[in-house]
Amino acid sequence: MSATGEDLPGTGPEGRVPAGGPSRTSRRPRRDRTAPPRRVRVVLADRRGGRRAVRTIVELEEQTSVGEALVRSLVRAQLRTALLLTLTTLGTIGMLPLLFFWLPELGAWTIGDVKISWLLLGAAPFPAMLVVGLVYQWRAERHERDFIDMVEN
Amino acid sequence: MQLNPWALSGIVVMAVVTFAVGVYGSRSAHTTSDFLVARRLVNAERNAAAISGEYLSAASFLGVAGLVLRDGVDGLWYPIGFAGGYLLLLMFVAAPLRRSGAYTLPDFSEARLGSVGLRKLTALVVLVIGSLYVVPQFQGAGLTLTTVTGLPNEVGVVLVALVVLVNVFGGGLRAVTLVQAMQYWVKLFAISLPAFLLFTAFLSTPSTSRGELVADMPPRFERDTTVTVETNVVLTVDRPVLLRAEGTVNGAPVSGAVYWAGDQHTVAAGTELHFTAGSDVPVVEGAVSDNSSWAQPQDRGPQGLFHTYSLIFATFLGTMGLPHVLMRFYTNPTGHAARRTTLFVLAMLGLFYLFPTVFGALSRLYVPELLVTGDTDAAVLLLPTAMLDNWLGKLLGAVTAAGAFAAFLSTSAGLIVCVAGVLSTDLPSGGQVRDFRLWTLVATAIPLAVAMGFSSLSLSQTVGLVFAVAASTFCPLLLLGIWWRGLTAWGAGSGIVLGGGLSVLAAVLSEWGPSLGGWLGVLLVQPALVTVPLAFATMIGVSRLTKDRVPLDVARVMLRMHAPDRLGFIRDRDVERFGGPGDQPRSGRHRAPEPD
């Protein structure tokens, strides 16, 4: 998704604007006559259905019922993913204290000379949490791509 | 303790390098915007290194090893929580907070709920959390300098305050970002290399002494050891111990041989205890006395279980409420970059936290005298020289001392920038660089005074308190503010007051109140499992009661926080307030009416 907007920060006269600015500035809608026209054309010309995209963005901004429904469904999807993954973490790493409490003999098991409980608490949670984070990142970005697709088509 | 020139030079080198990088980085800092948000030119990797460098404080570098030495395997929940907080931050806060365009927590509360009063309240909580968190940093610096030089505690405290001030005065967040990013790598190196070498040395010792670490007996002194007790302690003895003592034991003056049967004994400050090689180590009250129980998870009954879960609550949820960490997310250009940064932080912290555990476990064998004095926080500093009695041990000791100093420097610098930034923007005269510098002085002076005044608090205790307060105030504010449209300023305010008030009260009672055993005692030491749900319930309940005060622009703010970056709804509030890098008035399409 290296789409046009984000790759153009240095093109305009205000090349110094911090990133985050560019995508906004470059996709400023046509009705804003004070915007530098060059930047507007570059981006919109590249995009199929650009005019409709602008209309949907305006709808989002004006908070029509369509725009509202779109945003609500995005927020719900993101929240559902986050909660689901939190529960997953809670159900695995978060269960360890209870597990050790109910099954004390588990805490005494060893692999070689090292107690399994030290490995489960001292090393295993860190890569596990990183994996959960990666899964979240992947899901969240996909929800956002779906949202953009819906706005632009 | 005597002067250790190696460790001292490590600290001096660290201070000089920090200063030099600070000066180098500050050459390009000119406007208020530079100072506050580093012009958003920092890439995700460096920003993540800076966040990790800022976050890995005294509690991580020294405190975690000390906790493992004292509490054993259950102490490992601290590093899990310290890192795991970023997982929740990633999933619930990072991208929406960045897209909201708010540059501090008070600014977020005003942007979301449109209340200047709430902004002032959250600014106050930032001040409380920030100051509380700087205090243990200053104390840790004092402890490090005392341990390696024998100088008075105050010198270390003042020295670290001065170096931090120079850096912040020089260049604000830009310089500090550079310094912080460097300091993450310094700290990782300073803990991983010694941990690796010491562990190798440990593996080459005979396996009989290795087996002791999990044996059903107290730790033992490897060699004849003299311990000077610095503060009054209560020691627990499992099996009879014969020792020589000079000073006051159990309330009576003693000079000569002492025989301790089981049970507890009080030792007054200034007493010298001489132990012979092979004798059992008496441990301070609260520490685990025998090794098999030390190595066994969850063997302290239901109260221990409550403590563990409450700790998990405080650390996982408290991380997202730490104002200095949140402020740094604003240096990300987009919400996507904020997520990437958080993922990097999660990886970097996970890597770092593998090593303090090694120190903690080895300390149980080689520096058990720390269990007598209760100075378990010094384990990382003393272990290298205790294990290796040659130049390598001294060199590694210098490396860990430099790393510890880096930890205090980076965390206190980040906190002071954050508190000064909040004070200078949330008070009427705000927005001028001069004010920022003035507030930096104030933000340093308050914790400096507290650190000088109360030198007896332990690192992990104070830091645990900060996490509990953050989890009971800012965590519900952020979670509900980002994901629930129904939140009102009244709801948020009352939740913050109740959650923050209760967690501070619990901390004050557990520190200065009567020492309580049982459930109440556990609850006061680690209150998050109760105070966090209470704060959430209050926020939701009061918001429901004040339904008519839901801000009118809530849909607009929700859209801005959750819409993908490419649609361009992000709006940087500091740029609108202070002007952009070139002082061009810039504004997005989406202008909410400014409440002020």
Side-chain angles (χ1 to χ4, degrees):
Chain A
M1 64 167 257
S2 70
T4 48
E6 278 160 39
D7 295 333
L8 289 171
T11 51
E14 326 118 53
R16 280 169 303 152
V17 294
S23 61
R24 170 184 56 212
T25 322
S26 53
R27 225 171 279 114
R28 184 169 292 174
R30 283 161 196 273
R31 64 185 165 82
D32 191 348
R33 294 287 170 205
T34 57
R38 195 160 35 129
R39 294 164 66 84
V40 175
R41 275 181 208 291
V42 168
V43 173
L44 291 182
D46 236 22
R47 187 168 299 283
R48 71 206 151 81
R51 199 174 274 276
R52 285 184 59 193
V54 169
R55 197 184 312 138
T56 321
I57 289 177
V58 171
E59 257 180 29
L60 288 176
E61 183 188 350
E62 303 293 335
Q63 294 156 41
T64 60
S65 53
V66 178
E68 266 297 288
L70 273 177
V71 177
R72 274 178 194 270
S73 77
L74 172 68
V75 172
R76 251 200 306 275
Q78 300 284 44
L79 186 60
R80 201 167 34 231
T81 304
L83 287 177
L84 203 70
L85 288 171
T86 306
L87 282 180
T88 312
T89 316
L90 214 64
T92 49
I93 301 173
M95 280 300 116
L96 287 176
L98 272 177
L99 205 62
F100 287 132
F101 182 68
W102 282 327
L103 302 168
E105 57 274 25
L106 183 67
W109 289 0
T110 56
I111 296 181
D113 275 350
V114 188
K115 284 204 168 197
I116 206 169
S117 53
W118 284 75
L119 289 178
L120 278 179
L121 295 180
F126 302 111
M129 291 190 296
L130 188 62
V131 168
V132 175
L134 281 167
V135 171
Y136 172 77
Q137 161 107 338
W138 174 66
R139 301 276 306 186
E141 305 271 303
R142 207 178 68 180
H143 291 151
E144 293 187 351
R145 271 202 304 281
D146 291 350
F147 183 80
I148 289 179
D149 285 347
M150 248 189 295
V151 168
E152 289 180 351
N153 292 315
Chain B
M1 308 225 179
Q2 75 282 27
L3 180 78
N4 179 346
W6 292 66
L8 189 61
S9 21
I11 290 175
V12 170
V13 167
M14 198 60 237
V16 169
V17 169
T18 302
F19 179 73
V21 177
V23 169
Y24 170 78
S26 67
R27 286 181 314 178
S28 59
H30 297 295
T31 68
T32 304
S33 177
D34 292 345
F35 274 84
L36 288 177
V37 295
R39 299 180 76 172
R40 261 161 269 125
L41 294 175
V42 185
N43 65 21
E45 289 83 352
R46 181 183 285 176
N47 206 11
I51 291 178
S52 313
E54 186 161 356
Y55 185 66
L56 292 172
S57 66
S60 300
F61 200 90
L62 301 181
V64 167
L67 282 164
V68 172
L69 164 63
R70 212 190 64 178
D71 295 347
V73 66
D74 289 329
L76 293 175
W77 283 105
Y78 280 90
I80 297 174
F82 288 157
Y86 283 90
L87 181 59
L88 296 191
L89 190 72
L90 165 71
M91 296 199 287
F92 291 99
V93 177
L97 181 73
R98 177 60 194 94
R99 288 170 184 155
S100 78
Y103 50 91
T104 58
L105 262 166
D107 195 48
F108 170 79
S109 58
E110 189 186 335
R112 170 68 177 79
L113 298 166
S115 154
V116 180
L118 185 64
R119 184 183 184 124
K120 296 237 151 75
L121 176 67
T122 45
L124 183 72
V125 180
V126 167
L127 184 63
V128 169
I129 294 181
S131 306
L132 277 177
Y133 209 1
V134 177
V135 171
Q137 309 309 323
F138 283 178
Q139 287 177 335
L143 170 80
T144 307
L145 279 201
T146 314
T147 307
V148 302
T149 61
L151 284 171
N153 195 37
E154 286 78 12
V155 178
V157 175
V158 172
L159 187 67
V160 80
L162 280 180
V163 179
V164 168
L165 268 184
V166 167
N167 272 293
V168 177
F169 273 149
L173 199 55
R174 172 65 197 238
V176 173
T177 300
L178 206 63
V179 174
Q180 306 282 29
M182 175 194 83
Q183 299 225 2
Y184 168 74
W185 299 108
V186 168
K187 278 181 256 189
L188 182 66
F189 170 78
I191 198 124
S192 60
L193 179 78
F196 185 73
L197 292 179
L198 295 178
F199 193 67
T200 313
F202 167 68
L203 288 182
S204 64
T205 58
S207 63
T208 47
S209 88
R210 277 192 269 154
E212 261 178 36
L213 208 46
V214 293
D216 197 5
M217 59 184 208
R220 289 191 307 163
F221 287 106
E222 290 271 299
R223 57 185 93 87
D224 292 358
T225 309
T226 301
V227 179
T228 309
V229 176
E230 310 275 349
T231 52
N232 297 344
V233 289
V234 178
L235 298 178
T236 309
V237 186
D238 277 359
R239 302 190 303 191
V241 184
L242 186 64
L243 69 153
R244 283 192 304 117
E246 319 266 339
T248 313
V249 175
N250 290 334
V254 186
S255 178
V258 181
Y259 176 79
W260 283 348
D263 211 17
Q264 299 199 317
H265 304 271
T266 53
V267 179
T271 307
E272 271 189 14
L273 305 173
H274 305 273
F275 298 92
T276 50
S279 73
D280 286 356
V281 179
V283 303
V284 284
E285 198 182 20
V288 182
S289 57
D290 80 295
N291 279 348
S292 66
S293 147
W294 173 81
Q296 172 75 16
Q298 295 304 332
D299 67 337
R300 296 203 209 177
Q303 286 173 15
L305 199 62
F306 176 89
H307 184 273
T308 303
Y309 274 111
S310 200
L311 174 71
I312 292 174
F313 243 70
T315 48
F316 271 74
L317 296 175
T319 307
M320 72 175 71
L322 293 181
H324 63 302
V325 171
L326 288 184
M327 191 176 180
R328 197 164 278 289
F329 275 88
Y330 196 60
T331 36
N332 291 303
T334 59
H336 171 75
R339 281 198 195 119
R340 257 170 68 86
T341 300
T342 322
L343 264 181
F344 276 116
V345 172
L346 198 53
M348 286 173 166
L349 293 183
L351 184 63
F352 179 89
Y353 282 128
L354 296 176
F355 301 107
T357 311
V358 177
F359 272 93
L362 293 181
S363 303
R364 189 91 182 171
L365 270 185
Y366 295 96
V367 280
E369 62 266 27
L370 295 176
L371 290 168
V372 182
T373 57
D375 274 340
T376 46
D377 288 331
V380 169
L381 301 168
L382 295 178
L383 183 67
T385 38
M387 274 188 79
L388 302 169
D389 194 16
N390 54 20
W391 64 271
L392 184 62
K394 287 188 178 130
L395 185 65
L396 294 181
V399 169
T400 55
F405 211 69
F408 312 124
L409 279 185
S410 50
T411 306
S412 31
L415 283 161
I416 286 168
V417 167
C418 174
V419 173
V422 166
L423 289 176
S424 68
T425 52
D426 283 328
L427 290 170
S429 61
Q432 303 296 314
V433 172
R434 198 174 24 136
D435 293 332
F436 181 77
R437 291 185 174 165
L438 181 72
W439 287 116
T440 303
L441 266 184
V442 176
T444 316
I446 298 174
L448 186 60
V450 178
M452 301 286 239
F454 305 89
S455 51
S456 67
L457 302 172
S458 97
L459 296 181
S460 47
Q461 255 175 331
T462 322
V463 170
L465 155 68
V466 174
F467 274 88
V469 176
S472 323
T473 52
F474 287 145
C475 162
L477 171 69
L478 282 167
L479 288 187
L480 294 176
I482 289 173
W483 298 101
W484 187 47
R485 288 165 192 250
L487 187 68
T488 66
W490 277 97
S494 32
I496 287 177
V497 169
L498 185 83
L502 284 180
S503 49
V504 170
L505 182 71
V508 168
L509 283 180
S510 72
E511 193 63 44
W512 289 288
S515 116
L516 295 162
W519 282 100
L520 198 57
V522 180
L523 184 63
L524 289 182
V525 170
Q526 201 50 262
L529 197 54
V530 173
T531 55
V532 175
L534 271 180
F536 268 102
T538 313
M539 279 199 192
I540 295 173
V542 176
S543 294
R544 281 269 160 81
L545 291 178
T546 53
K547 238 181 207 160
D548 50 325
R549 290 178 187 259
V550 170
L552 295 174
D553 64 344
V554 60
R556 203 180 283 270
V557 179
M558 290 298 272
L559 167 67
R560 191 185 307 136
M561 287 194 296
H562 295 282
D565 302 312
R566 270 179 56 195
L567 297 180
F569 286 97
I570 222 171
R571 188 183 62 120
D572 290 335
R573 289 171 55 89
D574 77 307
V575 176
E576 295 189 347
R577 190 156 174 162
F578 307 119
D583 276 325
Q584 301 163 325
R586 291 167 32 73
S587 54
R589 293 184 302 239
H590 310 280
R591 312 190 62 159
E594 277 289 339
D596 56 329

